[in-house]
Amino acid sequence: MPKLGMEPIRKAALVKATIVEIGRAGSLDVTVSQIAKRAGMSSALAHHYFGSKEDMFLAAMRHILSLYGAEVRGALAAAGDAPEARLQAILRASFSPGNFRREAVGAWLNFYVLAQTVAEARRLLAIYQRRLRSNLMSDLRPLVGARAPGVAAALGALIDGVYLREALKNGPPDSAAAVAVVMDFLTTELGKQS
């Protein structure tokens, strides 16, 4: 069995430290030195692995997006084939404890800001948004017909809005309240005539 080198272990530690530091600061106004210190290594080693703070943050967002994708895939597999159950699974996964913790919420907020000026962040955000829309549309079409694009857009905007509100409030994110807001909207939309 091949031996795992230090590089992947150190990179993973830097990614986690980046998420924690940005979540703690509430902005990208953290230094590579702070991130490296949290990860238990020197800033020179952090630069060696990632090159820049921006590259570390992009790696952290890829990590968050990867965890989110896995959570959604698992939730969809458990939901079965019923479109409404699948929609609920996607929405619950969006606010699961792994995805909806203070550090991740702060990272998402800063990711949206970074996407305004950094092409790679904009590309990652576009991929996330297309996948979310595709997942929602797939299960909305049989339930709301021609209204599916509008409902999918509204659900996406509502998810983003709940994340924004959580980033701006004090205390830990309230997953149950977040899910309730989005589920109430879905229930209302599903109750309307197509």
Side-chain angles (χ1 to χ4, degrees), residues 67-94 96 99 128 130-140 142-143 155 159 183 186:
L67 293 176
Y68 171 73
E71 184 94 23
V72 169
R73 286 188 300 278
L76 287 172
D81 294 331
E84 189 171 350
R86 291 174 56 80
L87 284 167
Q88 291 174 356
I90 293 166
L91 299 176
R92 281 193 180 91
S94 295
S96 71
N99 293 316
Y128 156 73
R130 279 193 307 268
R131 286 181 183 163
L132 177 62
R133 184 178 192 282
S134 174
N135 282 334
L136 293 171
M137 288 285 292
S138 174
D139 294 309
L140 282 167
L143 298 171
L155 281 168
I159 291 168
M183 290 296 186
L186 177 63

Side-chain angles (χ1 to χ4, degrees), residues 73-128:
R73 286 188 300 278
L76 287 172
D81 294 331
E84 189 171 350
R86 291 174 56 80
L87 284 167
Q88 291 174 356
I90 293 166
L91 299 176
R92 281 193 180 91
S94 295
F95 300 103
S96 71
N99 293 316
F100 201 59
R101 62 189 195 283
R102 172 67 48 207
E103 296 85 11
V105 170
W108 272 103
L109 179 63
N110 286 286
F111 181 50
Y112 273 88
V113 172
L114 191 66
Q116 300 301 305
T117 57
V118 176
E120 179 62 12
R122 190 169 30 256
R123 186 187 75 76
L124 287 174
L125 182 59
I127 290 169
Y128 156 73

Side-chain angles (χ1 to χ4, degrees), residues 23 26-27 100 102 105-106 109-110 113 160-173:
S27 73
F100 201 59
R102 172 67 48 207
V105 170
L109 179 63
N110 286 286
V113 172
D160 291 344
V162 170
Y163 266 78
L164 177 61
R165 282 187 173 198
E166 289 297 324
L168 297 175
K169 78 172 199 177
N170 291 326

Side-chain angles (χ1 to χ4, degrees), residues 11-81:
K11 280 186 170 183
L14 284 165
V15 162
K16 289 177 183 169
T18 301
I19 294 166
V20 170
E21 284 298 312
I22 289 170
R24 183 194 57 75
S27 73
L28 294 175
D29 192 24
V30 297
T31 65
V32 172
S33 179
Q34 288 171 296
I35 294 167
K37 183 177 179 182
R38 180 165 296 275
M41 61 189 81
S42 70
S43 59
L45 198 53
H47 279 291
H48 168 73
Y49 287 126
F50 287 103
S52 70
K53 180 175 72 171
E54 185 178 288
D55 292 337
M56 276 185 255
F57 182 62
L58 289 171
M61 282 313 302
R62 282 187 204 94
H63 176 73
I64 287 172
L65 287 166
S66 174
L67 293 176
Y68 171 73
E71 184 94 23
V72 169
R73 286 188 300 278
L76 287 172
D81 294 331

